[in-house]
Amino acid sequence: MTWDMVEATADVCFPDEPGQQALDRARKARILWDKAQNAPTLVGVDGQVVVSPRELIEEKERTIQVYKDLVRARQAFETGEQGRQQALRIASMLFLVLGQAQAKVAELSRRIDALTGVGLPAPAQMHALQPQLVRARDQETRLGAQLERAVSQRDEAQRIADLAARRVQMLEAYLLESGQQPLGSDAADLPAIPVDAIAHDAPGEDSALDQIDEILARTDEALDREQEAVQDAADELGVTSEHHDSPEAHVISGSALPHPGVLAGHPNSGLFRTTLNNPHGQGRDAGALESSSDETVAVLRERLALAEKDRRTTAVALQRSLLPQELEQPDDLRIAATYRPGESDAGVGGDWYDVIRLGADRTAFVVGDVMGGHGVHAAAVMGQLRTAVRAYARLDLPPHETLQLLDGLAGEIAASQIATCVYAVHDPHEDRLDYASAGHPPILVRGADGTVHRAEDATAPPLGTGGWRYASGSIALPPGSTAVLYTDGLVERRGADIDEGVAVLERALAGAQGAPADTCATLLDILGVGASLDDDVALMVLQHPARTGADAELFNNAALELVGDVEAAPRARAFAGDKLTSWRLPAETCDLGILAVSELVTNALQYGTPPMWLRLRRTDRRLIIEVTDGDDHLPRQRQAEPANEAGRGFSFIAAIASSWGSRRNPGGGKAVWCELPLGP
């Protein structure tokens, strides 16, 4: 009411009131009228606050609207979470299928190259393979695009879920401050995003390509449904979802709820905005909305950085747990190794090293690098390859045969990935490294005079490429020399040829001094391996020390060629007795050594073929007895029956020796050996 209407009403209600009384009443009415004009609520005559029915109705409508917004926000959160999980599952599946598609492209390319290289007239085969290769390459491209789309939709669904979760928290805080109780979760009523089951590859040429086409079609449908569901959730939430990186994409449009107790000064007050009006987020609150969107972007980026850091930490922890926690230390060599992870998740996982004791004082060394992947997946593949190498090493095969077995297994473990690897075996009798390389950087050996040599022979393509034959090579490792095995992360840099990095490593090795651990540190420092690595690095240093004085007396070798027939055995026993006595071994060890020599030589004379050799080696920890002959058949321990007069030789060897075994030599023939411990 206006003041004129108040005065007119007083004149009608009190027509006969005296003048002074009328003035007093008008003065009181004026005071009440002024308060009514300046206060949001009604004030009674006694000064008490009176809430009008209109304000009660407005507050009720506001509360109802908040409940509706709370339900929508919860539904948007659940839909966003389901969309994120669906997109993540699809992305994981597409990654595996992409690997299969890449392997198929590689296989078809190799077959076409093989047909072209041999020059045979095979038009029918070429005509059949060319369309398959075009189709497989198209599938590879489409799979890559679908994978990018799935990752993008996963990020978008995560963004919607995060925004919805924060709005739910703030709306619930509004209701609690207003004396209301938030609703229970409606997650059970939300429709789940369907998950398509993807079948496994079928055998055959066209059937495998048909299978990938079917996967492409079904994943397209699944991604369309997931994108539509997340878009609906974004619409319900009042946010846009077309441009993730633009500030407009994070604006929550609508007008602010009129509740100063909750909204005033809140750093994320924009999350309270509803979709009742102002659908484009314009008007007097546009500045506040833009500020809120910037804060939301900052929060999301921080969460993304934390997630990436967590993934990298997990990958590094897995990588280190799969590497050997303690290296074997052979009698003749000193060894040190180190692993440095890359700075980012992309530079973590895949590099490994190992030291494997083979027996007869021989030792295998392996350094490898899983390529075409990173993170936890590459670390897991590395762990499988390392385990396989240790298993194959127990067969004591030549290096090239070990890599041949590993190549077949690598294709089964991860068809979409390849791995480089160098496998080397040190034989103290020969003072050399026998090795085979699968696409790996060359071994470097520095001699006692400081000259550095590369082991560049016996190199073949990486593991997992299939269809290649590996070969073994050798490089001298005499006393006083140092060998370095490493992965490409040590020598490869952006914008530079890898040979330049290997040359830098050669110069660094030529001047490196000290124990193996000191040499490792020196090489890492000179090659610039610091905190900002693009790739991870594995490095192993082997030193063959030159022993002099009293230390040299603990290491001795002796060899005798076994010629003749029955007289070779007594001559071998006499030779062993003289050598073991001159090495000042205990009498009991000398007797056991002579018995072992007699059994091994007798077995070689009876079942082997020339040339035959007896080799004795004494270290500071053991006595090794080895007999070689030209026959390839490996002996085995048999269970002799009580009436049998033969068949107990190796049972006797196993009883007196700490270990024994046999192996085939790279040049043909075999070696049978046993070890006797020295000292406690």
Side-chain angles (χ1 to χ4, degrees), residues 371-387:
M371 306 174 67
H374 61 269
V376 173
H377 180 69
V381 173
M382 176 275 288
Q384 296 179 74
L385 290 177
R386 178 183 171 237
T387 302

Side-chain angles (χ1 to χ4, degrees), residues 126-210:
M126 294 289 290
H127 182 73
L129 290 176
Q130 287 289 358
Q132 290 179 353
L133 179 60
V134 172
R135 183 181 176 189
R137 285 175 174 167
D138 177 65
Q139 290 175 344
E140 180 183 357
T141 303
R142 291 166 60 193
L143 282 166
Q146 280 193 350
L147 182 59
E148 292 181 1
R149 180 185 176 191
V151 172
S152 175
Q153 292 185 193
R154 177 205 62 186
D155 296 340
E156 173 61 19
Q158 179 70 64
R159 185 179 73 88
I160 298 300
D162 289 344
L163 292 174
R166 296 171 65 192
R167 180 178 295 184
V168 166
Q169 294 175 355
M170 294 179 181
L171 290 173
E172 288 181 343
Y174 171 84
L175 292 173
L176 290 172
E177 188 168 332
S178 302
Q180 307 293 330
Q181 291 296 324
L183 295 173
S185 175
D186 294 298
D189 299 328
L190 294 175
I193 299 175
V195 179
D196 282 29
I198 304 300
H200 295 289
D201 282 341
E205 296 287 355
D206 291 329
S207 59
L209 297 174
D210 292 341

Side-chain angles (χ1 to χ4, degrees), residues 202-495:
E205 296 287 355
D206 291 329
S207 59
L209 297 174
D210 292 341
Q211 184 68 26
I212 294 180
D213 278 335
E214 180 183 354
I215 291 173
L216 285 166
R218 299 179 69 180
T219 49
D220 264 332
E221 295 175 1
L223 288 170
D224 289 341
R225 290 195 299 270
E226 182 263 343
Q227 183 177 12
E228 183 179 355
V230 173
Q231 180 63 54
D232 291 342
D235 294 341
E236 285 294 328
L237 200 58
V239 300
T240 58
S241 61
E242 289 78 10
H243 306 288
H244 299 178
D245 296 329
S246 63
E248 294 77 11
H250 304 283
V251 172
I252 303 176
S253 59
S255 60
L257 288 172
H259 196 293
V262 175
L263 299 180
H266 199 286
N268 294 299
S269 56
L271 291 174
F272 276 101
R273 304 191 179 279
T274 69
T275 55
L276 292 176
N277 52 39
N278 195 15
H280 301 289
Q282 299 174 350
R284 60 184 177 87
D285 292 326
L289 290 174
E290 184 175 357
S291 175
S292 174
S293 69
D294 292 340
E295 293 173 359
T296 303
V297 171
V299 171
L300 292 176
R301 285 177 176 170
E302 181 180 358
R303 293 188 61 174
L304 178 61
L306 290 174
E308 291 178 349
K309 182 179 179 182
D310 182 65
R311 286 197 297 268
R312 182 182 182 278
T313 301
T314 301
V316 171
L318 176 61
Q319 175 83 4
R320 292 194 182 280
S321 68
L322 293 175
L323 291 174
Q325 304 304 304
E326 185 176 352
L327 292 178
E328 293 271 2
Q329 291 293 335
D331 296 352
D332 294 81
L333 304 179
R334 299 293 177 262
I335 305 171
T338 184
Y339 167 76
R340 296 286 183 89
E343 182 180 25
S344 64
D345 181 46
V348 176
D351 288 20
W352 88 93
Y353 58 82
D354 208 351
V355 179
I356 309 166
R357 185 168 176 268
L358 301 178
D361 210 24
R362 299 167 69 254
T363 309
F365 307 95
V366 57
V367 173
D369 182 8
V370 176
M371 306 174 67
H374 61 269
V376 173
H377 180 69
V381 173
M382 176 275 288
Q384 296 179 74
L385 290 177
R386 178 183 171 237
T387 302
V389 172
R390 293 191 70 87
Y392 292 147
R394 301 302 178 189
L395 301 176
D396 211 345
L397 301 172
H400 68 278
E401 294 187 24
T402 301
L403 287 192
Q404 203 74 55
L405 293 173
L406 195 62
D407 176 55
L409 183 65
E412 299 176 9
I413 292 177
S416 62
Q417 290 183 309
I418 59 176
T420 67
C421 179
V422 60
Y423 180 86
V425 176
H426 174 250
D427 189 336
H429 286 284
E430 306 293 342
D431 284 339
R432 70 172 187 242
L433 284 175
D434 295 323
Y435 70 92
S437 175
H440 205 76
I443 300 174
L444 301 182
V445 176
R446 184 194 66 198
D449 59 354
T451 304
V452 178
H453 303 276
R454 291 191 191 185
E456 295 184 312
D457 296 332
T459 298
L463 304 173
T465 54
W468 301 95
R469 302 300 300 176
Y470 294 90
S472 293
S474 65
I475 186 169
L477 190 70
S481 59
T482 299
V484 174
L485 291 75
Y486 53 95
T487 57
D488 59 359
L490 181 66
V491 295
E492 190 172 24
R493 298 293 181 268
R494 292 181 181 178

Side-chain angles (χ1 to χ4, degrees), residues 595-596 599-600 648-658 660 673-674:
L595 287 175
E599 289 293 337
L600 294 181
R648 295 181 175 84
F650 286 108
S651 297
F652 175 74
I653 292 294
I656 66 173
S658 59
W660 76 279
W673 55 268
C674 70

